[in-house]
Amino acid sequence: MISGFVTDLIGIHAIFGGFVFGLIIPKEGQFAARLIERIEDFVSGLLLPLYFASSGLKTDVTKINGAGSWGLLALVIMAACSGKIMGTFIVAVLCKIPAREALTLGFLMNTKGLVELIVLNIGKEKKVLNDEAFAILVLMALFTTFITTPSVMTICKSDRDKLANSIPKLQEITNKDETRILACIHGPTNIPSIINFIESIRATGTLSHLKLYIMHLIELSERPSSIMLLQRLRKNGIPLINHLYGGGGGGGGKFYDQVLDDISFKNECLLGLVTVRNKTAVSPLLTMHEDICQMVQKKGVRMIILPFHKQWRGINGNEEIMENMGHGWRGVNQRVLMHAPCSVGILVNRELSGVDINIDSVKRVCILFFGGANDRVALNLGWRMAQHPKIKVTLIRFVEQEDIKSCDHKLRVSPPKFKEKELDDVTICEFRRKFEGIVEYMENVSGNTLEAVLTTGRSGYELVVVGKVGWPPSMVATDRQVEHEELGPIGDLLASPGQGIISSVLVVQEHDNKHTEDVTVSLMPQNDEDATANEPSNAV
């Protein structure tokens, strides 16, 4: 403010005083970040809104009068948009940027901001612009700013849908394909549970190779000091790690480096045949799901693993200690579930955090199967776990009395759509045939579903896997109020404290792409010779 006053006193516009003051501030060191942190609330919260308000009060739209003035407004808008958009588009294409991305960049560059408004106000004060020209240019700036978001969303939408439809589902992967999983973490406390989960589904000699992307999620606020801190600490594409975890000689930095070493296969006996890549997403919580989904689309990820927004810290007597990471992180999970172009799993971790993980002991995993697409994805994970030599898998299927069937059937494919119950029967029977004598299989026909689920959670399993929403809905319908809808009724029950549940929980949601060539799978008795003779060639 003093700089602005001095420049105004000597006959130069006050805005140049503030501009020169910004130029002389050294960018190295912590002084600039601390200075911005002190003054940004005053500038952004008071001065900036007042400046925009004063500019609006100076704008007299009634000065745009007659066909000539409105035609001039249209001409100015056309010239401004075509100049910025086409100019950026042509240069971007010459730099070999794809046409869709080049057009998007053109619309983003076309956005007008504070500098344009400052120039217009100076021009009006110096009598360079009359009231009509000032109003036309202000409306042009508003129009070009307002069209940016819908234009960019429209351009990118079809591209996102195309990428989403090209990503196969987890259960569609063959042994020759590479299974790609994106595991998101908030910090070092999430890493042991991720390592344990990946170890349980890692590739063996008969399964597809596993490629793991670890994405470190870092919240970026819109405060200029936060952005400046990010720019100052960014090194080799991995920002803020030393700062957040006590780098520079602190124990936290060494701990994080140790964890990264474990993930990067310096301890090969831990993860086996898994390729790991480390990524970092630094963005506001409201848009963080976009970074995650873009990563999925770019890398062809089949499944996302998200940490639950409440972290387990231990047990104090009979009470579980849970640390809530905040409603913002819960919102990130919810938006990922809504927009992800692949399957998503939310991991509720009840393991004490630590780097040393014992993989020599046998781990017990339980899969709860109610039916439906989500539970079939959970069973697909169980397919991988069952082939791990140190994983003991138990499959519990919740059925109604009339739904109990034997597996002495062959499978017949018939159009036009899947019937959920028949497809569930087919999936279960194939799973039981594959792992007969290896996987413990139980059927629960009890009328009290909730009590059976609670009993399972208290039975000492290291991990319980369940689909987000069981099918049919009548089997999982309860009078209990669901606290976390993103977990579904069964997942929410298993994640709730105070129930004596000691197992970690993985809640899986299948990506809901619409199938254009779905078929019906039906069961056919083995001794039906006529049916066998007429069996179609594409039976599975």
Side-chain angles (χ1 to χ4, degrees):
M1 294 182 71
I2 294 175
S3 298
F5 175 77
V6 171
T7 52
D8 185 69
L9 187 64
I10 64 178
I12 304 176
H13 198 279
I15 195 69
F16 291 103
F19 179 71
V20 173
F21 176 79
L23 287 179
I24 66 176
I25 297 298
K27 302 303 182 291
E28 300 297 329
Q30 300 182 359
F31 177 72
R34 291 183 177 180
L35 178 65
I36 293 178
E37 186 177 356
R38 298 299 191 277
I39 67 175
E40 66 178 332
D41 289 333
F42 174 69
V43 174
S44 301
L46 180 63
L47 298 184
L48 195 60
L50 288 177
Y51 189 78
F52 279 112
S54 65
S55 300
L57 293 175
K58 295 175 185 177
T59 305
D60 188 359
V61 183
T62 61
K63 296 296 183 179
I64 307 177
N65 195 356
S69 297
W70 288 105
L72 182 60
L73 173 61
L75 181 62
V76 170
I77 292 176
M78 186 179 303
C81 292
S82 60
K84 269 288 185 70
I85 296 174
M86 295 307 299
T88 305
F89 176 80
I90 293 173
V91 174
V93 170
L94 292 176
C95 293
K96 299 182 180 181
I97 295 177
R100 189 186 299 273
E101 296 180 12
L103 187 60
T104 302
L105 185 60
F107 274 99
L108 292 174
M109 290 295 294
N110 188 49
T111 305
K112 302 297 185 291
L114 179 62
V115 175
E116 285 80 2
L117 202 58
I118 291 174
V119 172
L120 293 179
N121 277 275
I122 294 176
K124 182 176 174 59
E125 292 177 7
K126 300 300 181 182
K127 306 299 181 180
V128 177
L129 300 175
N130 57 27
D131 291 341
E132 180 185 12
F134 180 77
I136 289 175
L137 292 175
V138 169
L139 289 181
M140 178 271 296
L142 291 175
F143 177 81
T144 54
T145 301
F146 287 156
I147 67 171
T148 300
T149 297
S151 299
V152 172
M153 294 294 292
T154 302
I155 294 171
C156 296
K157 183 177 184 301
S158 58
D159 197 30
R160 288 197 303 267
D161 293 342
K162 181 180 179 180
L163 285 170
N165 293 330
S166 65
I167 299 175
K169 295 183 180 181
L170 187 66
Q171 61 267 38
E172 295 173 352
I173 300 172
T174 64
N175 289 346
K176 297 181 180 180
D177 295 327
E178 182 180 59
T179 304
R180 300 186 178 188
I181 292 181
L182 173 62
C184 300
I185 61 173
H186 299 155
T189 56
N190 300 130
I191 293 179
S193 59
I194 293 296
I195 293 179
N196 276 332
F197 172 73
I198 296 301
E199 165 64 18
S200 66
I201 64 170
R202 66 176 171 84
T204 63
T206 60
L207 287 179
S208 59
H209 181 77
L210 185 62
K211 189 168 187 177
L212 173 65
Y213 295 94
I214 296 285
M215 177 173 278
H216 183 202
L217 305 180
I218 301 176
E219 180 183 4
L220 176 66
S221 68
E222 297 181 358
R223 297 168 63 91
S225 58
S226 177
I227 299 175
M228 194 167 185
L229 181 64
L230 170 65
Q231 294 173 341
R232 181 170 60 85
L233 296 178
R234 184 180 294 276
K235 292 181 180 179
N236 299 325
I238 307 179
L240 300 182
I241 288 180
N242 292 332
H243 174 73
L244 293 177
Y245 300 110
K254 294 180 180 179
F255 171 81
Y256 198 77
D257 291 339
Q258 181 182 355
V259 174
L260 288 180
D261 288 344
D262 288 339
I263 294 181
S264 300
F265 283 96
K266 291 187 177 180
N267 185 1
E268 294 183 1
C269 67
L270 182 63
L271 292 176
L273 302 176
V274 184
T275 303
V276 177
R277 296 291 182 269
N278 298 322
K279 303 294 180 180
T280 304
V282 186
S283 59
L285 295 183
L286 288 177
T287 59
M288 188 169 287
H289 68 283
E290 297 178 0
D291 292 340
I292 297 174
C293 294
Q294 288 174 4
M295 179 71 178
V296 170
Q297 295 166 354
K298 182 178 179 181
K299 300 299 183 180
V301 171
R302 270 66 169 180
M303 189 173 194
I304 305 172
I305 303 297
L306 299 171
F308 191 49
H309 70 280
K310 293 183 179 179
Q311 294 186 2
W312 190 72
R313 295 304 185 192
I315 300 178
N316 184 10
N318 295 325
E319 182 180 355
E320 288 185 82
I321 303 175
M322 302 287 289
E323 179 184 352
N324 195 331
M325 300 297 294
H327 185 74
W329 288 109
R330 181 185 181 187
V332 172
N333 290 352
Q334 293 172 334
R335 286 184 288 273
V336 171
L337 287 171
M338 183 180 302
H339 299 286
C342 65
S343 300
V344 181
I346 297 181
L347 182 60
V348 182
N349 177 35
R350 282 194 173 94
E351 298 176 7
L352 288 175
S353 301
V355 179
D356 296 328
I357 301 172
N358 183 12
I359 62 172
D360 295 329
S361 60
V362 177
K363 305 292 184 180
R364 298 177 62 211
V365 176
C366 181
I367 301 173
L368 303 183
F369 191 93
F370 293 87
N374 294 326
D375 284 14
R376 290 195 292 271
V377 176
L379 193 62
N380 181 262
L381 291 175
W383 191 287
R384 298 185 65 96
M385 294 177 181
Q387 300 186 55
H388 193 290
K390 294 296 184 179
I391 302 294
K392 177 65 176 178
V393 177
T394 300
L395 174 61
I396 302 178
R397 187 185 186 187
F398 291 79
V399 295
E400 297 175 339
Q401 186 66 35
E402 60 271 15
D403 292 335
I404 299 178
K405 296 185 178 75
S406 66
C407 283
D408 296 329
H409 294 79
K410 297 188 69 175
L411 312 181
R412 175 190 296 169
V413 181
S414 58
K417 292 183 178 181
F418 282 124
K419 295 180 181 178
E420 290 292 330
K421 284 189 177 181
E422 293 181 347
L423 187 55
D424 291 340
D425 293 336
V426 167
T427 307
I428 290 292
C429 289
E430 286 298 301
F431 187 85
R432 292 178 62 186
R433 287 196 188 100
K434 173 70 175 179
F435 301 108
E436 184 176 1
I438 301 176
V439 173
E440 182 181 0
Y441 175 76
M442 294 183 289
E443 289 186 347
N444 189 298
V445 294
S446 172
N448 193 338
T449 302
L450 294 185
E451 187 59 35
V453 170
L454 289 175
T455 301
T456 302
R458 299 163 181 161
S459 300
Y461 294 103
E462 277 78 13
L463 178 66
V464 177
V465 185
V466 63
K468 179 184 175 183
V469 179
W471 188 94
S474 59
M475 291 185 60
V476 296
T478 68
D479 296 331
R480 178 181 174 273
Q481 182 67 33
V482 177
E483 182 180 359
H484 305 101
E485 295 182 357
E486 64 270 22
L487 299 180
I490 302 301
D492 180 73
L493 177 64
L494 290 170
S496 59
Q499 302 287 352
I501 298 174
I502 60 176
S503 305
S504 296
V505 183
L506 179 67
V507 181
V508 180
Q509 172 184 285
E510 184 207 30
H511 174 51
D512 57 353
N513 270 340
K514 294 184 178 179
H515 297 273
T516 57
E517 299 180 355
D518 285 351
V519 293
T520 298
V521 179
S522 57
L523 294 176
M524 183 175 60
Q526 289 274 28
N527 56 1
D528 191 342
E529 297 180 359
D530 295 335
T532 305
N534 297 325
E535 182 181 349
S537 59
N538 62 338
V540 294

